[in-house]
């Protein structure tokens, strides 16, 4: 089933703008998680202000995923848990955006 998308200020234009905002937020949340993964795997300096800033953003955004999977390799644990959180945000916000359209 195909939908014809209105353009400009037609009825529904606000819904498409809202869908874009939701999708953009999901992308930003996922990027924060990926940056945190890279910093962890690269063993970034934890005393650095940039690292602490990303960590303070990434931890709450990871929701229940940290600790969900435990592997003997610490890097793999970080990649899987925070990577799952990143995928979660992309899937959920994509789903919400489709509902808005």
């Amino acid at each position: 089933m195909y939908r014809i998308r209105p353009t400009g200020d037609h009825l529904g234009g606000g819904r498409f703008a809202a869908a874009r905002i939701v999708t953009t937020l999901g992308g930003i949340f996922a990027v924060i998680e990926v940056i945190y993964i890279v910093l962890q795997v690269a063993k970034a300096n934890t005393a650095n202000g940039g690292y602490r800033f990303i960590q303070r953003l990434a931890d709450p955004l990871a929701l229940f995923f940290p600790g969900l999977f435990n592997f003997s390799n610490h890097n793999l644990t970080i990649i899987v848990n925070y990577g799952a959180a990143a995928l979660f945000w992309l899937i959920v916000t994509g789903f919400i955006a489709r509902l808005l359209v």
Side-chain angles (χ1 to χ4, degrees):
M1 169 162 49
Y2 293 94
R3 292 185 187 178
I4 298 174
R5 295 184 175 197
T7 58
D9 291 330
H10 296 290
L11 185 65
R15 291 185 319 196
F16 294 114
R20 282 192 303 271
I21 290 169
V22 167
T23 303
T24 301
L25 280 175
I28 291 169
F29 291 170
V31 166
I32 290 169
E33 297 297 335
V34 170
I35 291 171
Y36 184 67
I37 291 169
V38 170
L39 291 174
Q40 282 284 309
V41 171
K43 297 189 185 336
N45 180 5
T46 58
N48 184 288
Y51 174 87
R52 288 194 312 259
F53 176 73
I54 293 295
Q55 183 183 29
R56 283 193 301 258
L57 292 175
D59 282 341
L61 289 175
L63 302 172
F64 57 87
F65 289 101
L68 186 62
F69 300 103
N70 289 314
F71 301 102
S72 59
N73 184 334
H74 177 69
N75 287 342
L76 182 60
T77 301
I78 294 293
I79 291 168
V80 170
N81 288 326
Y82 286 88
L87 285 175
F88 168 82
W89 284 114
L90 291 175
I91 291 168
V92 168
T93 56
F95 179 72
I96 292 170
R98 284 188 143 260
L99 291 176
L100 292 172
V101 174

